[in-house]
Amino acid sequence: MIPRIHKRGSETIGLIRYLYGPGSHEEHTDPHLVAAFDPLAPDPGRDPQATYGQLQRLLDQPVNALPAGRRPKKHVWHLSVRASPEDPILSDDWAAIARRMVAATGIAPDGDDATCRWAAVRHADDHIHIIATLVREDGRRPRLHNEARRAQAEARLIEADYGLRRVTPGDGTAAKRPTSAERHKAARRGQQRTPREELREAVRHSAAGTASEEEFFDRLAAAGLLVRRRVAPSGDTLGYTVALPGDRNAKGEPVFYSGSKLAPDLSLPRIRERWAPTSDDPSQEPVQPLVIGPASARRRASAAAWKALLVIDHGDDGVIAAQIAATGELLDALAQTSAAHTRHELHAAATAFERASRSHVRAARGHDHALRRAARDLVHSGPALGRGEDGATTAMALDMLIFLITAAAHWHAKKQHAQQAEAAHRAAAHLRAAYQAAAEHPLALLNHRGRCLAPAWQRHHATAVHQALPELADRILAEPGWPALAATLAEAQSAGHDPTTLLTQAAARRELDTAERMSDVLVWRLRRMADLPADPDNSQGLRGRGKHAVTSPKQAAQPGPRPANSPLRRR
């Protein structure tokens, strides 16, 4: 059950006409009064003698009794309460639900004889509208502090009492939803999303990985948005508003939205928090190579996601919140630079995770520089190709991000952040779909190479799995992806690594038994840890080149142990 408090109005008669009228966007069927402050209130829907004007005058009487100078300009209060599509049709229950809502919100508290006047109108099976006037019988104003939150809390109780679908409770940190007018305007224009939603995504993408205020505003302009800065007399920027060039009001003027009206964390002060200096010791950070392409940026994203996983496992709440917020930036950057065959799912994942990126736990910015730097690298490295090293490193990054976002979901659930946990799980589902698309080609090639290994070498690598992972080995060896892991172990050994040691280290980094395909997880971990090319095709061009020398299929097919000077024997 979803209660929604609409903007306050100044004309009671106008809202009454809408509630009893035919409807401007959906058909109104049998409009009638289901409950009111007075059981004898006129009902223009069922009583032929009753008029809209009679109901309006009755509701407005306490307002008009005040001197003109004391009457509130916006005195019309409007609440709609809608059942979920899968809920049964409620009939007489709507009257009791209406009374509970006006009591919970402070319009008509139980036991108060001087409450506001109100009426509940039903013109469809699945919802009601409650109209009230905001002057009590004693001439005072009602106490409506946090009435939206109280309406939501009462809705959760009503769902339990009536056996209705339990809607995930919010905590007030969600982005503001489009208004009815915005949705209807978009529908008239044949647009799938409202300007508010389009702008929220564009500003999120523009902020992802930025390092300064000027870079942020440059990206907004490059995205094609109209941007206005609010500047203080000192010349400092206090805030900003953005508009879509084609979104104009009745006067032909662009419709601007401030960042805070798009989402709580898109106000300029909150965005500035992202640029806080790091609280970590830079001398402890390993020197990173210059990012020169999408594949390198995706490798760095994998490494940053691994570091963030450790923080979520062991960090303080504020630091964890910062990592989760920065994960949202990383997803936005990945979605912007994704190849066509993963683009849809990655955009969906980033959009879903937006809700999971904030909560009442304030992010301790400055601890998230690795993820934010990775997001910046992704943006600056440009679009990735769907195949080759770009595509394979995309699969590598997605494999680690699925773990990271699942960990974020568990943290939110532990903190009872229900909406955020649900959003993170939705994002993870989209990432899994994107991963399947990105990993299909490189894993198919690795599986082919693994099946081409001589049986003696397959047994050799299976022994390494049993030694490193005795409790999981049987399951790993039975997975369809085992040949790909065997091929990766062969490459790693050829590159001078001990397979057993490498497997032990890879497993120690994070639990494996909850993964859907442990062999896939190990393939990407090993290829990143051993610095192997993510795309198996690249391995062929690296034979005989020192560290990355690999065994040819013909060599790998030879059974039996290698001589001491063989690449497969080097340590």
Side-chain angles (χ1 to χ4, degrees), residues 34-78:
V34 295
F37 79 100
D38 183 351
L40 301 179
D43 182 5
R46 294 283 178 85
D47 183 357
Q49 306 301 317
T51 66
Y52 299 160
Q54 288 175 337
L55 182 57
Q56 174 260 319
R57 287 189 291 273
L58 182 65
L59 292 174
D60 278 347
Q61 189 174 14
V63 179
N64 294 331
L66 293 175
R70 290 183 53 200
R71 297 172 189 171
K73 293 181 179 180
K74 301 285 187 179
H75 70 275
V76 182
W77 186 86
H78 179 200

Side-chain angles (χ1 to χ4, degrees), residues 185 189 195-196 199 243-249 253-255 257:
K185 181 179 178 181
R189 296 180 174 183
R196 184 190 297 273
L199 288 167
L244 295 175
D247 181 33
R248 298 181 178 269
N249 59 21
E253 301 168 337
V255 181
Y257 295 80

Side-chain angles (χ1 to χ4, degrees), residues 209-431:
T210 52
S212 67
E213 189 169 302
E214 287 308 310
E215 182 183 5
F216 170 59
F217 283 113
D218 286 346
R219 285 203 202 169
L220 290 177
L225 306 184
L226 303 179
V227 184
R228 289 179 179 173
R229 299 198 201 191
R230 186 161 56 90
V231 181
S234 62
D236 296 330
T237 302
L238 301 177
Y240 72 99
T241 57
V242 288
L244 295 175
D247 181 33
R248 298 181 178 269
N249 59 21
K251 298 179 180 179
E253 301 168 337
V255 181
F256 282 88
Y257 295 80
S258 66
S260 60
K261 295 297 183 183
L262 299 176
D265 55 346
L266 293 182
S267 67
L268 187 57
R270 292 292 298 275
I271 289 176
R272 281 173 174 155
E273 291 177 5
R274 307 183 187 196
W275 306 321
T278 175
S279 353
D280 299 335
D281 182 359
S283 64
Q284 300 302 314
E285 284 295 308
V287 177
Q288 298 285 355
L290 178 65
V291 172
I292 57 175
S296 297
R298 278 152 176 74
R299 279 186 175 271
R300 178 167 290 173
S302 300
W306 164 242
K307 292 180 181 179
L309 262 173
L310 295 179
V311 174
I312 291 177
D313 284 343
H314 306 293
D316 296 332
D317 284 347
V319 178
I320 292 173
Q323 299 294 330
I324 293 174
T327 300
E329 293 189 58
L330 188 62
L331 285 176
D332 284 331
L334 196 60
Q336 291 179 70
T337 58
S338 59
H341 68 309
T342 58
R343 188 175 303 146
H344 175 76
E345 293 294 347
L346 286 176
H347 272 282
T351 299
F353 196 76
E354 184 266 346
R355 180 65 191 95
S357 63
R358 1 167 240 283
S359 66
H360 281 303
V361 178
R362 192 64 175 266
R365 292 293 194 172
H367 296 273
D368 53 358
H369 67 285
L371 283 171
R372 296 203 71 251
R373 181 178 175 182
R376 180 179 177 81
D377 289 343
L378 286 169
V379 172
H380 284 274
S381 67
L385 300 175
R387 292 288 184 94
E389 195 71 6
D390 286 6
T393 51
T394 297
M396 179 185 290
L398 290 175
D399 176 75
M400 186 59 73
L401 280 168
I402 291 169
F403 275 95
L404 176 57
I405 288 177
T406 302
H410 292 162
W411 180 80
H412 278 307
K414 184 172 66 175
K415 294 294 178 182
Q416 299 184 337
H417 302 160
Q419 286 189 353
Q420 290 89 336
E422 181 181 319
H425 283 302
R426 288 200 312 271
H430 288 296
L431 286 183

Side-chain angles (χ1 to χ4, degrees), residues 76-98:
V76 182
W77 186 86
H78 179 200
L79 169 71
S80 60
V81 185
R82 187 179 296 269
S84 297
E86 58 268 40
D87 286 338
I89 295 178
L90 304 171
S91 54
D92 295 341
D93 295 325
W94 280 117
I97 290 171

Side-chain angles (χ1 to χ4, degrees), residues 26-31 82 94 122-128:
E26 57 183 359
E27 184 179 355
H28 292 176
T29 304
D30 185 26
R82 187 179 296 269
W94 280 117
R122 182 184 182 194
H123 55 216
D125 286 339
D126 64 346
H127 70 278
I128 60 171

Side-chain angles (χ1 to χ4, degrees), residues 84-153:
S84 297
E86 58 268 40
D87 286 338
I89 295 178
L90 304 171
S91 54
D92 295 341
D93 295 325
W94 280 117
I97 290 171
R99 293 188 180 93
R100 290 178 64 164
M101 280 295 177
V102 294
T105 55
I107 292 294
D110 291 333
D112 190 337
D113 296 330
T115 62
C116 296
R117 297 189 175 190
W118 61 273
V121 177
R122 182 184 182 194
H123 55 216
D125 286 339
D126 64 346
H127 70 278
I128 60 171
H129 293 262
I130 301 175
I131 177 175
T133 48
L134 297 180
V135 176
R136 292 163 44 91
E137 297 286 0
D138 56 12
R140 295 186 293 117
R141 305 282 182 87
R143 299 182 63 182
L144 298 180
H145 180 64
N146 280 337
E147 79 265 36
R149 185 173 298 179
R150 285 185 275 147
Q152 291 289 347

